[in-house]
Amino acid sequence: MNGRPTLAVVGATGGVGAVMLQILSQHADVWGEIRLLASPRAAGRKLAVRGEETEVVALSESALAGVDVALFLVPDAVSAQWAPIAVSQGAVVVDASAAFRMDPDVPLVVPELNPHAARLRPRGIVASPGCATMPMIVAVGSLHAEFGVRELVVSSYQAVSAAGQDGISALRRQMSAVAGTELGTSPGDVRRAVGDITGPFGGPLALNVVPWAGSLMADGWSSEEMAIREETRKVLDLPDLKIAVTCVHVPVITVHSLAVHARFEGPVTVDRAHEILATSPGVVLFDNPAAGDFPTPADVVGTDPTWVGRVRRSLDDERALELFVCGDNLRKGAALNCAQIAEAVAGEFAGA
Amino acid sequence: MNGRPTLAVVGATGGVGAVMLQILSQHADVWGEIRLLASPRAAGRKLAVRGEETEVVALSESALAGVDVALFLVPDAVSAQWAPIAVSQGAVVVDASAAFRMDPDVPLVVPELNPHAARLRPRGIVASPGCATMPMIVAVGSLHAEFGVRELVVSSYQAVSAAGQDGISALRRQMSAVAGTELGTSPGDVRRAVGDITGPFGGPLALNVVPWAGSLMADGWSSEEMAIREETRKVLDLPDLKIAVTCVHVPVITVHSLAVHARFEGPVTVDRAHEILATSPGVVLFDNPAAGDFPTPADVVGTDPTWVGRVRRSLDDERALELFVCGDNLRKGAALNCAQIAEAVAGEFAGA
């Protein structure tokens, strides 16, 4: 191949797409042509990428012709339909959706942890883990490389922007509905105040938390809880890892947080865990409670790394650590991880 | 003793005191005289209890004379100073504060779990567990009676009213400061918006969560995490119980929630756990995700029981259950549990 590869961004007009265009502008020398694709409804809009106004084109077979790498930042059903078409047109697809994550012929890749996996892609597709899995797996994966993880117990504090503009809008409107009131003190008052501003979370989120994410699976599990379990096992290549997850939505716009209890093969120390985390790519260790240093969504939003704090060794198990991790669900949790995978694939072209 | 015992409510003018007066009015036939005590600053105010306007009297040795049972709903330091004085005046003290919880000569009582413990009180004081411990221990304790608990991993979602009016006011003012803005999308914007409305939580709580509660203890643990561990061991009389806790504040006014991973001695089933929880005193089982039934603070606030939902058996450990529990930190988490203990003590007087 001559010159730099051609990139298509499918779903350029969505929330993750907007973050992707920022990231592509910061890594301006990787790609030749960058083609912005979206639904016919959004075609014709102009978006800035690498400082140039670029017209959005409707997704079609011909629009994918000549593309080397296609980033899919669209709902599951759109990826399921269009990713194979992109592959048939000669592209390598990097997919942010859940459509292919558990397909045994599609690698699930976090470049800091299993970059080699992206090279083996029988279907021509590489998948990126879900945004709730990401902060936990980046932190735990870095410790796993030395300590060998055996069991995880995970509780999430999930932000609303993972549900797109509908989620953000619902939370903002609910917060307006409860603003300046004495709500939150008697049963049902928050529900009455938010009225029909129900949102996609299974309950109101203003002045509330909701222990649910996704759809109902067998035995009372939510789809998000099962996804975190399965994706973690696949990325770490530990098909028998013990893992129990409870997913909870909280009134935060962006950044998923997770409290993690991680048990390893043998004894661990906080000092060594700190050393590992402080030197792991993509991780910021922010762990000095005496100075008020622990990660919170307000500090982490808009940043690339996974932030880790509150590292403690379990008082009753010298093999276990407690962690609190935060990661931006739109950046590393979606756009950034896909961009990293795509750049690794672009490197293959350069080497060819 | 002739007639019904005399009760003193020490700290009647606080937030927990207000809930206590409601509860006393609902259980109007237990007590003879009800004396309302508070700091000199609050003396002279009139509060309604059992439908009667009652004047608040300044806490003093003489104000405690003739009291049979004294409910202490005051900060730790006030309890530490005044509870022994009340005992010296002949009262049994039921203390909501942390001052005596871990004193080996003070029983720590949840009437649904260890009512017998309240009768052995060498110092004349009975303590009530902290509000963050309560929902978890009521749920786990009911399961422990049959299954035998061996290990707990707990993550909290804690409300601000446990920090009193300062906490509530800080959250409301922070929410006003971020209302109607596009905040929550770039680093530091929430911190800038809330400015000096810092509140007592170690970070802003509007559109945020903060993984901290209390003061810094050894090895990075927070005092609230240690308290949940020690109180749970004491109430369940399991001094070697394995328990790891991560405490997180969330933007909720009232009701603490906890995600609990509980491992028992042998295999458990969700069906049997449901039967136990559905018939345990003080517990509401609310667990039908297909119908959208799981507890959230908005539904639980203002109610007496501990609500339990999201009951699942761990997929990799037939001995472990996942639970999500919610409880009103001002009611069962403070005032109600103390009232229940006080009524049990009143029953001793009746039987004497």
Side-chain angles (χ1 to χ4, degrees), chain A residues 118-143:
Chain A
R119 287 185 167 256
L120 289 167
R121 42 183 192 249
R123 295 193 62 179
I125 302 170
V126 181
S128 181
C131 54
T133 307
M134 192 65 79
M136 187 270 288
I137 203 169
V138 171
V140 168
S142 68
L143 296 168

Side-chain angles (χ1 to χ4, degrees), chain A residues 155-157 172 181 183 187-188 191 208 211 220 225 229 233 243-246 296-299 301 310 312 316 322, chain B residues 155-157 172 181 183 187-188 191 208 211 220 225 229 233 243-246 296-299 301 310 312 316 322:
Chain A
S155 303
S156 74
Y157 303 71
R172 289 201 180 284
T181 68
L183 297 175
R191 275 190 198 270
N208 205 23
E225 289 159 353
R229 180 170 185 266
R233 288 173 153 196
I243 174 166
V245 183
T246 296
T296 81
D299 303 305
V301 63
R310 301 299 326 281
R312 294 147 287 154
D316 307 302
E322 316 303 317
Chain B
S155 303
S156 75
Y157 303 72
R172 288 201 180 285
T181 69
L183 296 174
R191 277 190 197 271
N208 204 24
E225 289 159 353
R229 180 170 185 266
R233 288 173 153 197
I243 173 166
V245 184
T246 296
T296 82
D299 302 305
V301 62
R310 302 297 329 277
R312 292 146 289 153
D316 306 304
E322 316 303 316

Side-chain angles (χ1 to χ4, degrees), chain A residues 299-339:
Chain A
D299 303 305
V300 169
V301 63
T303 69
D304 285 345
T306 295
W307 295 54
V308 185
R310 301 299 326 281
V311 182
R312 294 147 287 154
R313 190 167 75 173
S314 306
L315 291 161
D316 307 302
D317 188 345
E318 63 180 7
R319 300 166 302 165
L321 293 172
E322 316 303 317
L323 316 168
F324 190 78
V325 300
C326 293
D328 188 312
N329 46 292
L330 302 178
R331 296 185 71 86
K332 181 62 179 173
L336 177 63
N337 198 63
C338 290

Side-chain angles (χ1 to χ4, degrees), chain A residues 211-212 220-222 225 247, chain B residues 287 289 294 309-312 322-324:
Chain A
W212 193 256
W221 295 91
S222 73
E225 289 159 353
C247 284
Chain B
D287 189 16
F294 32 72
R310 302 297 329 277
V311 182
R312 292 146 289 153
E322 316 303 316
L323 315 168
F324 190 80

Side-chain angles (χ1 to χ4, degrees), chain A residues 151 153-157 168 171-172 175-176 178-191 201-213 216 219-222 225-226 229 233 240-248 250-254 257 259-261 270 289-290 292 294-303 310-317 319 322-324 328, chain B residues 151 153-157 168 171-172 175-176 178-191 201-213 216 219-222 225-226 229 233 240-248 250-254 257 259-261 270 289-290 292 294-303 310-317 319 322-324 328:
Chain A
E151 182 173 9
V153 179
V154 180
S155 303
S156 74
Y157 303 71
I168 299 172
L171 174 57
R172 289 201 180 284
M175 286 179 68
S176 297
V178 304
T181 68
E182 290 302 312
L183 297 175
T185 56
S186 56
D189 61 2
V190 167
R191 275 190 198 270
F201 302 109
L205 273 182
L207 295 175
N208 205 23
V209 301
V210 176
W212 193 256
L216 179 61
D219 300 322
W221 295 91
S222 73
E225 289 159 353
M226 294 301 290
R229 180 170 185 266
R233 288 173 153 196
D240 299 319
L241 179 68
K242 294 172 74 170
I243 174 166
V245 183
T246 296
C247 284
V248 181
V250 296
V252 167
I253 302 286
T254 298
S257 307
V260 181
H261 172 85
V270 169
F294 31 72
T296 81
D299 303 305
V300 169
V301 63
T303 69
R310 301 299 326 281
V311 182
R312 294 147 287 154
R313 190 167 75 173
S314 306
L315 291 161
D316 307 302
D317 188 345
R319 300 166 302 165
E322 316 303 317
L323 316 168
F324 190 78
D328 188 312
Chain B
E151 182 173 9
V153 179
V154 180
S155 303
S156 75
Y157 303 72
I168 298 173
L171 174 58
R172 288 201 180 285
M175 285 179 68
S176 296
V178 303
T181 69
E182 289 302 310
L183 296 174
T185 55
S186 58
D189 60 3
V190 166
R191 277 190 197 271
F201 302 109
L205 274 181
L207 295 176
N208 204 24
V209 301
V210 176
W212 192 257
L216 180 60
D219 300 322
W221 296 91
S222 74
E225 289 159 353
M226 294 302 289
R229 180 170 185 266
R233 288 173 153 197
D240 299 319
L241 178 67
K242 295 173 71 170
I243 173 166
V245 184
T246 296
C247 285
V248 181
V250 295
V252 166
I253 302 286
T254 299
S257 307
V260 181
H261 172 85
V270 169
F294 32 72
T296 82
D299 302 305
V300 169
V301 62
T303 70
R310 302 297 329 277
V311 182
R312 292 146 289 153
R313 190 166 76 172
S314 307
L315 291 161
D316 306 304
D317 188 344
R319 300 165 303 166
E322 316 303 316
L323 315 168
F324 190 80
D328 188 313

Side-chain angles (χ1 to χ4, degrees), chain A residues 252-307:
Chain A
V252 167
I253 302 286
T254 298
V255 173
H256 291 332
S257 307
L258 301 99
V260 181
H261 172 85
R263 189 169 57 77
F264 300 94
E265 284 170 16
V268 295
T269 67
V270 169
D271 284 351
R272 184 62 193 139
H274 274 171
E275 288 172 4
I276 295 168
L277 291 165
T279 55
S280 290
V283 174
V284 168
L285 176 67
F286 192 58
D287 188 19
N288 184 2
D293 290 349
F294 31 72
T296 81
D299 303 305
V300 169
V301 63
T303 69
D304 285 345
T306 295
W307 295 54

